[in-house]
């Protein structure tokens, strides 16, 4: 058996090999959805959005001339400072089904973590909560969304063989319009808007660009407040905000966005629903070729499925009935006849308040993901 050689990624050819490896590993897999190729390559640039808050390292595993695995380590300084932790995150772990390959890759990240003065490795977690996170442990026969990372069913075994154990799970649901809508939802929604002096933004009165420019700052403020106590989250920097807008501007459909504001146009609740573009990206490996751009634009303008990217209600409004407004709006979108279903993406298993809302839909729990941890 050939020995395993771990290489730190530094050259342009190594960077390309790092990004290309999962595309080869999952070639023709019907459930794998690649990230945008350009976004993956952009993280190697010095002006990457997270370069001011993170330290990072990339490794490739080779047997002879053959690449057999990859992994990235991230020292997220913001998160460590907020939580008084000494953690390194691992992400972008992909490998053949070989325990020795996995041990070599994780050994490299663990040694790097120790050299940085850290005492724990956890993940899969990216630079922030907006990146792909969690290792799939159930639902291997389900199509991933654009925001998720697929992995083979042997991955959890590899992690456990390297000494990693569960820290927390995320649950994912598929939502369809309620077969028998709850009439109380509409009544509570109208009453909540009236008593709190709130309104649902009418997106038909402005262009997509105007809509985003008008409410983006307030949405990010709301997002920071709603998510700041959740696992793995960090506050948004201006660079992070702009990167997110740049990444999603092409695929956002304002008819699928829900924004609720007070009388001063401050966002108090929002739902960022993204048209499902996974299938449009599969064949191109995430490269935005002209045919792929056409497919993505068609999926964005005529969505058949939705990904519930981010949903939030300011704490001060969480017991005011505003959640009923959000449920009503989402159910109207799903009842339009245009959308087959929506994917919730990741719900922390501890976030029972959010998951309790899905009982008002025809919902199915169909995926589970896990974040692992190891003390060094």
């Amino acid at each position: 058996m050939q020995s395993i050689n771990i290489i730190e990624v530094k050259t342009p050819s190594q960077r390309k090999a790092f990004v290309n490896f999962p595309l080869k590993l999952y070639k023709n897999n019907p459930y794998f959805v690649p990230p945008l190729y350009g976004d993956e390559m952009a993280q190697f640039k010095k002006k990457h959005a997270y370069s001011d808050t993170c330290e990072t390292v990339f490794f490739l595993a080779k047997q002879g001339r053959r690449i057999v695995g990859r992994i990235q380590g991230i020292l997220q300084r913001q998160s460590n400072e907020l939580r008084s932790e000494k953690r390194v995150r691992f992400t972008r772990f992909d490998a053949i089904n070989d325990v020795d390959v996995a041990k070599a890759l994780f050994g490299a990240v663990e040694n790097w973590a120790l050299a940085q003065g850290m005492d724990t490795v956890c993940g899969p977690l990216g630079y922030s909560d907006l990146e792909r996170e969690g290792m799939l442990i159930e639902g291997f026969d389900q199509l991933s969304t654009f925001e998720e990372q697929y992995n083979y069913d042997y991955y959890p075994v590899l992690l456990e063989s390297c000494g990693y154990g569960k820290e927390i799970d995320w649950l994912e649901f598929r939502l369809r319009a309620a077969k028998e809508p709850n009439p109380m939802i509409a009544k509570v929604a109208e009453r909540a808007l009236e008593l709190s002096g709130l309104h649902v933004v009418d997106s038909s009165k402005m262009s997509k660009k105007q809509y985003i420019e008008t409410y983006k700052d307030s949405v990010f403020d709301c997002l920071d407040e709603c998510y700041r106590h959740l696992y793995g989250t960090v506050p948004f920097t201006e660079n992070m905000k702009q990167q997110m807008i740049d990444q999603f501007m092409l695929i956002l459909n304002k008819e699928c966005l829900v924004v609720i504001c007070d009388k001063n146009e401050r966002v108090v609740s929002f739902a960022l629903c993204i048209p499902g573009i996974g299938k449009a990206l599969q064949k191109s490996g995430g490269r935005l070729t002209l045919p792929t751009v056409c497919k993505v634009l068609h999926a964005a303008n005529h969505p058949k499925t939705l990904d519930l990217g981010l949903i939030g209600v300011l704490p001060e409004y969480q017991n005011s009935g505003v959640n009923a407004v959000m449920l009503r709006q989402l159910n109207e979108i799903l009842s339009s006849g245009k959308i087959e279903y929506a994917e919730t993406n990741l719900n922390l298993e501890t976030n029972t308040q959010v998951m309790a809302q899905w009982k008002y839909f025809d919902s199915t729990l169909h995926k589970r993901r896990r974040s692992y941890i190891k003390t060094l």
Side-chain angles (χ1 to χ4, degrees):
M1 180 182 293
Q2 289 181 312
S3 61
I4 301 164
N5 186 25
I6 299 298
I7 301 168
E8 183 177 347
V9 173
K10 291 184 176 181
T11 69
S13 62
Q14 291 168 347
R15 293 166 183 166
K16 186 175 180 180
F18 186 91
V19 173
N20 284 338
F21 178 71
L23 303 181
K24 296 176 180 178
L25 187 66
Y26 292 99
K27 187 176 181 179
N28 298 322
N29 183 291
Y31 312 116
F32 172 76
V33 172
L36 291 180
Y37 194 88
D39 289 347
E40 290 297 284
M41 292 300 295
Q43 68 181 317
F44 297 108
K45 297 179 179 179
K46 291 182 179 180
K47 292 185 178 180
H48 188 247
Y50 296 96
S51 60
D52 55 345
T53 59
C54 300
E55 303 291 336
T56 187
V57 68
F58 304 85
F59 294 109
L60 287 170
K62 297 185 75 174
Q63 281 183 325
R65 300 179 63 181
R66 178 189 174 208
I67 295 174
V68 291
R70 70 168 194 169
I71 197 168
Q72 179 185 4
I74 298 173
L75 199 170
Q76 210 332 328
R77 293 193 302 272
Q78 269 187 313
S79 180
N80 281 348
E81 290 167 5
L82 284 170
R83 298 173 174 87
S84 299
E85 296 173 337
K86 293 183 177 181
R87 293 189 173 200
V88 157
R89 303 174 173 197
F90 76 85
T91 185
R92 292 175 174 85
F93 165 68
D94 289 291
I96 63 171
N97 190 5
D98 188 315
V99 171
D100 291 334
V101 171
K103 287 183 176 180
L105 286 166
F106 279 97
V109 169
E110 291 161 14
N111 289 335
W112 182 76
L114 289 170
Q116 307 302 313
M118 302 295 108
D119 58 21
T120 304
V121 175
C122 63
L125 288 171
Y127 298 99
S128 75
D129 192 51
L130 297 180
E131 284 230 306
R132 296 179 172 200
E133 56 190 0
M135 179 168 288
L136 193 66
I137 61 171
E138 295 177 12
F140 300 104
D141 59 348
Q142 300 293 315
L143 177 68
S144 285
T145 65
F146 170 62
E147 300 82 16
E148 298 175 333
Q149 179 64 31
Y150 182 81
N151 58 262
Y152 287 123
D153 58 3
Y154 62 79
Y155 274 43
V157 178
L158 294 181
L159 261 289
E160 292 164 10
S161 298
C162 293
Y164 288 79
K166 173 186 174 180
E167 181 165 32
I168 198 166
D169 283 0
W170 291 272
L171 309 182
E172 300 180 40
F173 299 81
R174 178 168 288 173
L175 308 179
R176 290 181 168 84
K179 295 177 181 177
E180 296 182 9
N182 188 325
M184 284 301 297
I185 294 293
K187 293 181 180 179
V188 172
E190 286 303 320
R191 188 63 174 163
L193 291 174
E194 180 182 347
L195 291 177
S196 300
L198 305 175
H199 63 277
V200 179
V201 174
D202 185 356
S203 64
S204 67
K205 295 182 178 180
M206 60 188 84
S207 68
K208 181 171 74 172
K209 184 176 181 179
Q210 290 174 322
Y211 189 26
I212 292 172
E213 285 296 320
T214 301
Y215 296 103
K216 64 179 183 179
D217 291 333
S218 192
V219 165
F220 279 119
D221 290 341
C222 183
L223 179 59
D224 267 340
E225 180 64 23
C226 295
Y227 280 61
R228 64 192 179 96
H229 294 302
L230 296 183
Y231 177 80
T233 58
V234 292
F236 284 92
T237 65
E238 292 304 315
N239 286 339
M240 290 164 60
K241 293 176 184 179
Q242 191 56 52
Q243 179 170 292
M244 183 180 176
I245 292 170
D246 292 343
Q247 287 176 334
F248 288 98
M249 178 64 84
L250 179 68
I251 61 175
L252 287 178
N253 184 323
K254 62 188 179 75
E255 294 181 7
C256 302
L257 303 177
V258 181
V259 174
I260 302 172
C261 293
D262 63 15
K263 61 183 179 181
N264 296 316
E265 292 302 298
R266 179 182 67 134
V267 175
V268 304
S269 181
F270 68 93
L272 177 60
C273 302
I274 302 167
I277 63 169
K279 290 184 177 180
L281 290 170
Q282 281 183 312
K283 289 186 178 181
S284 73
R287 294 176 176 85
L288 290 179
T289 62
L290 181 57
T292 301
V293 169
C294 292
K295 291 179 182 178
V296 168
L297 288 175
H298 185 270
N301 294 324
H302 307 282
K304 294 183 178 180
T305 65
L306 288 180
D307 303 340
L308 304 188
L310 296 165
I311 297 178
V313 179
L314 285 178
E316 63 203 82
Y317 287 95
Q318 287 178 0
N319 296 316
S320 67
V322 172
N323 63 315
V325 182
M326 194 62 67
L327 292 172
R328 182 192 66 179
Q329 298 301 117
L330 289 176
N331 204 54
E332 285 180 0
I333 293 173
L334 291 174
S335 300
S336 66
K338 301 177 182 178
I339 307 297
E340 183 181 347
Y341 60 82
E343 296 270 2
T344 66
N345 283 330
L346 284 67
N347 296 171
L348 282 168
E349 62 181 346
T350 54
N351 200 347
T352 55
Q353 187 175 7
V354 167
M355 291 187 289
Q357 309 300 309
W358 307 145
K359 68 183 178 181
Y360 297 106
F361 300 86
D362 179 8
S363 64
T364 304
L365 171 61
H366 67 313
K367 298 177 195 170
R368 183 185 293 264
R369 295 178 186 274
R370 178 162 295 170
S371 183
Y372 290 82
I373 188 169
K374 180 179 181 180
T375 301
L376 303 180

